[in-house]
């Protein structure tokens, strides 16, 4: 059961991360408008930073399905624990963003915290000592 739960959550978050990273690379203005950045603060450097974030998010987006498909129980546990902390980090960064507590930032951070909870639930499987 642990293997199926962890693999499913890894695949779902990987799909979300993949589409998010492609959107950030292709058109970072979508993210700046969604997160309520004022137009005066959206410079070429900010757009470039969002593109770099999109490239960085491609790594877990492409590796998580591979782990879900080919790793054993121990590998899934380690990958799920790592992705849980990545989700907590993304949620915290969205929550403390300089934009403020607008509805989009709170919603985005809650989505990442929800994925972290899903990972912790998936890791709640068999409690064997190894």
């Amino acid at each position: 059961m642990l293997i199926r739960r962890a693999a499913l959550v890894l695949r779902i978050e990987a799909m979300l991360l993949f589409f998010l990273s492609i959107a950030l690379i292709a058109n970072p203005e979508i993210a700046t408008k969604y997160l309520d950045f004022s137009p005066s603060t959206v410079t070429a450097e900010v757009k470039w930073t969002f593109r770099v974030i999109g490239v960085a998010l491609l790594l877990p987006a492409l590796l998580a399905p591979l782990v879900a498909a080919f790793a054993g129980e121990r590998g899934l546990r380690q990958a799920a624990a790592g992705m849980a902390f990545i989700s907590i980090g993304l949620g915290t960064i969205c929550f403390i963003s300089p934009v403020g507590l607008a509805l989009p930032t709170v919603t985005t951070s809650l989505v990442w915290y929800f994925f972290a909870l899903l990972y912790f639930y998936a890791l709640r499987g068999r409690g064997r000592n190894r």
Side-chain angles (χ1 to χ4, degrees):
M1 194 66 170
L2 167 105
I3 293 174
R4 279 192 260 159
R5 284 189 298 203
L8 178 66
V9 177
L10 277 170
R11 287 182 177 119
I12 291 171
E13 187 174 15
M15 184 174 55
L16 177 72
L17 284 173
F18 180 75
F19 288 127
L20 175 65
S21 64
I22 295 301
L24 285 174
I25 293 168
N27 193 1
E29 289 88 10
I30 294 172
T32 58
K33 287 178 185 175
Y34 176 74
L35 295 173
D36 290 336
F37 276 73
S38 66
S40 62
T41 61
V42 180
T43 61
E45 290 84 9
V46 171
K47 292 178 189 175
W48 184 253
T49 303
F50 273 98
R51 284 192 173 107
V52 171
I53 291 169
V55 171
L57 289 177
L58 272 177
L59 181 67
L62 296 176
L63 290 180
L66 290 173
V67 170
F70 299 113
E73 183 178 344
R74 185 174 182 183
L76 281 173
R77 280 183 180 274
Q78 292 173 348
M83 290 296 285
F85 287 108
I86 287 173
S87 296
I88 290 171
L90 286 170
T92 304
I93 286 173
C94 287
F95 192 71
I96 62 171
S97 68
V99 178
L101 290 179
L103 181 64
T105 56
V106 171
T107 305
T108 305
S109 64
L110 287 177
V111 166
W112 294 121
Y113 289 141
F114 177 71
F115 272 109
L117 287 175
L118 285 177
Y119 280 119
F120 290 135
Y121 174 72
L123 288 171
R124 210 178 54 89
R126 291 189 306 215
R128 291 191 289 178
N129 293 331
R130 290 185 179 236

